[in-house]
Amino acid sequence: MAETPVPERSEPGEPGPGRVVVIGTGLIGTSIALALRARGSEVYLSDRDAAALDVAVQIGAGEALPVGGLGGPADLAVIAVPPAAVAVTLLDAQKRRLAEVYTDVASVKALPLAQAADLGCDLASYVPGHPLAGRERSGPSAARDDLFLGRPWALCPGGRTAPDAVAAVEGLARLCGAMPVTVDAEHHDRSVALVSHAPHVVSAAVAARLTSADDTALGLAGQGVRDVTRIAASDPRLWIGILAANAEPVADVLEAVATDLAVAASLLRDGSEGAATHVADLLLRGNAGRARIPGKHGGDQRSYATVTVVIPDRPGELAMIFQAATIAGVNVEDIAIEHSPGRPLGVLELSVQPEEAAKLADELRARGWSVPG
């Protein structure tokens, strides 16, 4: 299968939404504002949290929205608030005629859309949206203007959404470097329950086991447990709102996972050879499922070779390794770093095309790095 091309980000000065209001200056709202500002849009920010708003303004995400408004509607308003607050925020913004077109970025879509309809919001100018990007850190200080580069941006227009409103929000997504994808709201919620929301709960459940771990167990922690628990570091307050808004689809996935785990636990306690075979079936299904996750640029996953390098934990080492890769003419497809507990060393894993692994390893060895194998 051919790779899906990553959309090119617009250069500063290219046409985009002339004036945009961003309501909510958390990670996503501020990242959108930064991306738009970098592309020449005029951005105004609003947030009930004065401290968050001040940080967003200070880092250059835009100007604070004047109390009396802009004197006329902006081209677009982005509502970056928790799912349960989207509809009331939309209603307030529409009553104030803040913009011609409205979108939101909540990770749940059916609930805000239904609530907006119940409140009597103008659904023709509202395009429910969800950029599938984020970080473990939250708040405006964690925002980045490249957060959405190459990422899917779900658009879930309702039956009454005007085509020009959809086109405007598609333009917003592309301007931020994302790939707009149109999907039904309920289908979206079931999908993100499977690929985002339930995995977060599973990650938290594994991480919760570590609260009672002794120092010996924690000292043995390797990259595996770090990978599994990485997303468990996210803000619990944010996730409570997300899970509550998508409760049924998430519960369905968690029940299915719990069944698999309960069966595996029972079989492991059984200890027979046949039981081990059944557990192996779960592991094989895991391999198959993992292989279905799209790879680089949304294409099929590829098998890369791994070049392992032992590096000192000191400034400049990574830069010199990447320079060596450049000299060798090798593209590094992905990287991972694992630090050695109690030692000023790290193990760097460089994923490259299989036919280029030996060339990169030779170049690194010639420059003095320890490359096992």
Side-chain angles (χ1 to χ4, degrees):
M1 179 183 293
E3 289 188 351
T4 303
V6 174
E8 295 182 2
R9 298 186 69 187
S10 306
E11 294 299 324
E14 286 193 14
R19 290 199 300 180
V20 179
V21 175
V22 177
I23 305 171
T25 53
L27 169 66
I28 300 299
T30 305
S31 293
I32 291 172
L34 287 170
L36 293 176
R37 287 270 289 180
R39 300 305 176 265
S41 295
E42 186 179 341
V43 181
Y44 294 90
L45 307 171
S46 174
D47 200 308
R48 292 183 178 181
D49 185 337
L53 176 61
D54 184 61
V55 171
V57 170
Q58 291 296 322
I59 64 175
E63 300 178 30
L65 180 68
V67 175
L70 299 176
D75 297 303
L76 184 64
V78 179
I79 299 171
V81 300
V86 167
V88 293
T89 305
L90 173 65
L91 181 64
D92 176 71
Q94 289 182 337
K95 285 181 176 179
R96 295 160 59 194
R97 293 205 65 231
L98 274 185
E100 300 287 351
V101 175
Y102 302 84
T103 188
D104 76 290
V105 296
S107 63
V108 178
K109 298 274 67 84
L111 177 67
L113 187 56
Q115 290 179 336
D118 290 342
L119 289 175
C121 295
D122 172 23
L123 299 184
S125 62
Y126 170 47
V127 185
H130 176 207
L132 283 96
R135 303 181 67 188
E136 291 76 52
R137 295 174 56 201
S138 60
S141 61
R144 294 170 18 184
D145 70 352
D146 64 349
L147 186 66
F148 312 103
L149 186 59
R151 301 299 302 163
W153 191 309
L155 304 182
C156 306
R160 288 145 59 184
T161 309
D164 58 347
V166 176
V169 180
E170 285 181 345
L172 166 72
R174 294 187 189 281
L175 202 62
C176 291
M179 298 179 291
V181 179
T182 301
V183 59
D184 173 77
E186 292 188 359
H187 190 183
H188 166 277
D189 289 356
R190 291 193 301 271
S191 297
V192 295
L194 177 63
V195 302
S196 176
H197 300 169
H200 188 93
V201 179
V202 173
S203 175
V206 175
R209 299 302 93 209
L210 302 178
T211 59
S212 58
D214 59 27
D215 290 343
T216 299
L218 295 175
L220 295 173
Q223 196 59 41
V225 73
R226 297 178 195 277
D227 289 344
V228 171
T229 61
R230 178 182 61 82
I231 55 176
S234 300
D235 185 353
R237 295 168 298 178
L238 170 67
W239 275 93
I240 288 170
I242 292 172
L243 296 173
N246 202 24
E248 287 296 325
V250 173
D252 289 342
V253 177
L254 291 178
E255 285 173 350
V257 172
T259 297
D260 275 342
L261 294 177
V263 170
S266 177
L267 292 170
L268 288 170
R269 291 189 187 282
D270 179 271
S272 67
E273 184 176 340
T277 301
H278 284 89
V279 174
D281 176 68
L282 174 60
L283 300 180
L284 290 170
R285 284 192 288 124
N287 288 162
R290 178 69 175 81
R292 294 197 65 200
I293 299 174
K296 191 176 181 181
H297 306 330
D300 291 342
Q301 283 206 23
R302 296 183 176 184
S303 296
Y304 296 119
T306 300
V307 176
T308 302
V309 190
V310 179
I311 59 171
D313 190 6
R314 63 191 180 204
E317 290 294 317
L318 284 176
M320 289 189 288
I321 284 176
F322 289 132
Q323 182 182 42
T326 301
I327 292 171
V330 175
N331 183 53
V332 177
E333 306 286 348
D334 202 357
I335 66 169
I337 303 176
E338 183 171 359
H339 297 283
S340 299
R343 300 186 63 196
L345 296 172
V347 176
L348 177 67
E349 294 183 347
L350 304 170
S351 297
V352 300
Q353 297 291 344
E355 63 272 16
E356 296 183 331
K359 182 166 57 172
L360 178 58
D362 289 344
E363 182 69 30
L364 292 171
R365 289 191 187 101
R367 293 172 176 271
W369 278 290
S370 174
V371 182

